[in-house]
Amino acid sequence: MKKIAVITSGGDCPGMNAAIRAVVRVAMANQIEVWGIKNGYAGMIANDMTQLDSRSVGDIIHKGGTFLGTARSEEFKTLTGRQKAVANLQAHGIEGLVVIGGDGSLTGAKLLAELGIKFVGLPGTIDNDIWGTDYTIGFDTAVNTALDAINKLRDTASAHGRVMLVEVMGRACGWIALTAGLAGGAEIILIPEQPFSSENICRQLLESRAKGKQYSIVVVAEGAGSAIDLGKVISAKTGLETRVSVLGHIQRGGAPTVSDRLLASRLAERAVRDLLQGKSDIMIGYRNNQCVEVPITDAISKKKDIDPELYRLSDVLSQ
Ligand SMILES: Nc1ncnc2c1ncn2[C@@H]1O[C@H](COP(=O)(O)OP(=O)(O)O)[C@@H](O)[C@H]1O
Ligand SMILES: O=P(O)(O)OC[C@H]1O[C@](O)(COP(=O)(O)O)[C@@H](O)[C@@H]1O
Ligand SMILES: [Mg+2]
């Protein structure tokens, strides 16, 4: 393999730039030409790509977002769209791809491979919802952003004796809520993986007041329901003064943490090495402090569960 390309796709996450930088520099160290595809699969279809070298990826390791741009492309979900993309790659002589993105992007990459393009995927999403890796790139930064917000909300919740609901991202999974909630000392953590009823939440909040708690932090994963709606129910049923913050896309930005930069750099190095050995249809994950190869079908089809021990601990510690 003499020419490869790197692409970021789907929701951006902090650490994507560190991953691109590592892909480019490892390729250069192996005398491989690297191209960068702009704006995800949309750019692949539009033939929007540019050659990169070590200097093109200077001054980005500390930046959130992705300097290549990213997108969600409906056209790529069609066979015609993917055929256009493959024709563009072949016209450039690109033989292999490093795809940095979430479950959707990796599903797209697998379909591309069926049309003759080799790829190695990297798990890039703040949601930590990809099977086969302990952590995804971007998760640690997002969780720290959420934690910072929870810390600040705690100050004002405490000052007023209020119930403070914080809605965090995570799509259909509760990893961000559970991790930031546990680290932030939340009284209640609501995640899609654990059923709950608003009646029980209200009862729990009133009981904790009766036991002497002056205020409450409730972390709600977006996949568990709307914090705004739940806040209205709590306020109406308990009479407790309630406020809601929806953190939203703040969680997607910011300088990547040490963990995310290291994770991105290590996974990217392994991805390029594997691609150069002719491997394809795998994702590089990180398990037990090691890079591991994960068959792409497992990564995209198996459901990653939350850690039940973390959930149990958060419950014990919130009493
Ligand atoms: N089933 C699919 N078939 C083909 N392409 C897909 C599929 N799912 C996702 N993609 C491509 O990957 C892009 C990113 O996926 P998305 O789910 O939005 O984000 P993420 O990769 O972060 O999970 C989509 O916009 C689409 O172009
Ligand atoms: O950026 P958008 O299109 O508003 O999407 C928001 C979604 O993207 C995420 O931030 C990241 O999800 P993906 O990595 O699957 O793209 C989710 O937590 C959130 O539900
Ligand atoms: Mg996703």
Side-chain angles (χ1 to χ4, degrees):
M1 206 171 274
K2 286 272 157 264
K3 208 188 264 194
I4 65 171
V6 56
I7 180 170
T8 49
S9 164
D12 66 312
C13 63
M16 277 183 163
N17 279 325
I20 299 165
R21 169 180 179 271
V23 166
V24 172
R25 294 200 173 164
V26 172
M28 303 296 330
N30 287 279
Q31 291 78 47
I32 301 297
E33 198 173 310
V34 200
W35 285 63
I37 297 166
K38 303 278 185 67
N39 306 321
Y41 292 129
M44 199 184 267
I45 292 171
N47 202 15
D48 192 2
M49 43 191 98
T50 178
Q51 193 174 344
L52 301 173
D53 62 20
S54 288
R55 297 286 66 77
S56 3
V57 291
D59 203 29
I60 62 168
I61 192 170
H62 59 301
K63 290 183 180 146
T66 159
F67 94 108
L68 287 175
T70 184
R72 304 195 198 275
S73 161
E74 282 307 309
E75 193 180 354
F76 191 80
K77 291 184 178 171
T78 67
L79 180 60
T80 326
R82 292 194 296 277
Q83 282 168 336
K84 268 194 223 169
V86 169
N88 290 334
L89 295 174
Q90 286 171 343
H92 279 91
I94 291 166
E95 299 160 277
L97 281 178
V98 176
V99 177
I100 309 162
D103 51 349
S105 303
L106 299 177
T107 304
K110 180 176 180 295
L111 294 171
L112 211 54
E114 288 171 13
L115 300 177
I117 300 290
K118 290 193 168 180
F119 84 94
V120 177
L122 297 185
T125 168
I126 63 165
D127 296 341
N128 203 28
D129 60 350
I130 299 183
W131 191 91
T133 188
D134 292 341
Y135 299 107
T136 56
I137 298 166
F139 171 69
D140 186 64
T141 308
V143 160
N144 276 288
T145 301
L147 178 64
D148 181 52
I150 292 168
N151 289 340
K152 287 174 174 153
L153 291 167
R154 178 185 281 279
D155 290 346
T156 172
S158 148
H160 284 268
R162 286 171 169 161
V163 175
M164 191 65 78
L165 283 89
V166 193
E167 184 179 305
V168 298
M169 280 185 165
R171 234 180 245 283
C173 105
W175 269 102
I176 296 179
L178 180 54
T179 311
L182 176 54
E187 184 178 328
I188 298 177
I189 301 172
L190 302 176
I191 56 175
E193 293 87 348
Q194 293 284 336
F196 62 89
S197 72
S198 52
E199 287 77 38
N200 282 346
I201 304 296
C202 292
R203 186 169 349 104
Q204 204 176 325
L205 288 168
L206 288 171
E207 279 172 10
S208 69
R209 291 291 161 128
K211 283 191 220 153
K213 281 208 180 192
Q214 303 291 314
Y215 69 97
S216 303
I217 303 285
V218 181
V219 176
V220 185
E222 64 175 346
S226 156
I228 294 176
D229 293 348
L230 181 64
K232 285 181 191 150
V233 174
I234 290 172
S235 170
K237 290 204 174 145
T238 65
L240 295 169
E241 218 185 335
T242 303
R243 293 290 186 272
V244 181
S245 294
V246 178
L247 293 190
H249 290 81
I250 284 173
Q251 295 159 96
R252 283 254 291 272
T257 57
V258 171
S259 298
D260 275 330
R261 295 183 202 193
L262 293 186
L263 182 66
S265 303
R266 296 187 70 173
L267 297 184
E269 183 198 35
R270 178 64 177 270
V272 174
R273 289 194 186 285
D274 278 4
L275 204 51
L276 297 188
Q277 283 172 22
K279 294 186 183 173
S280 181
D281 290 80
I282 52 172
M283 178 191 85
I284 308 301
Y286 201 68
R287 285 206 301 255
N288 303 321
N289 296 317
Q290 281 189 4
C291 294
V292 292
E293 292 168 7
V294 182
I296 203 67
T297 41
D298 289 347
I300 61 180
S301 65
K302 294 190 178 174
K303 181 163 167 38
K304 178 176 185 176
D305 265 333
I306 51 138
D307 182 346
E309 272 303 297
L310 272 191
Y311 190 78
R312 187 197 54 76
L313 180 60
S314 73
D315 203 34
V316 173
L317 299 183
S318 68
Q319 300 307 309

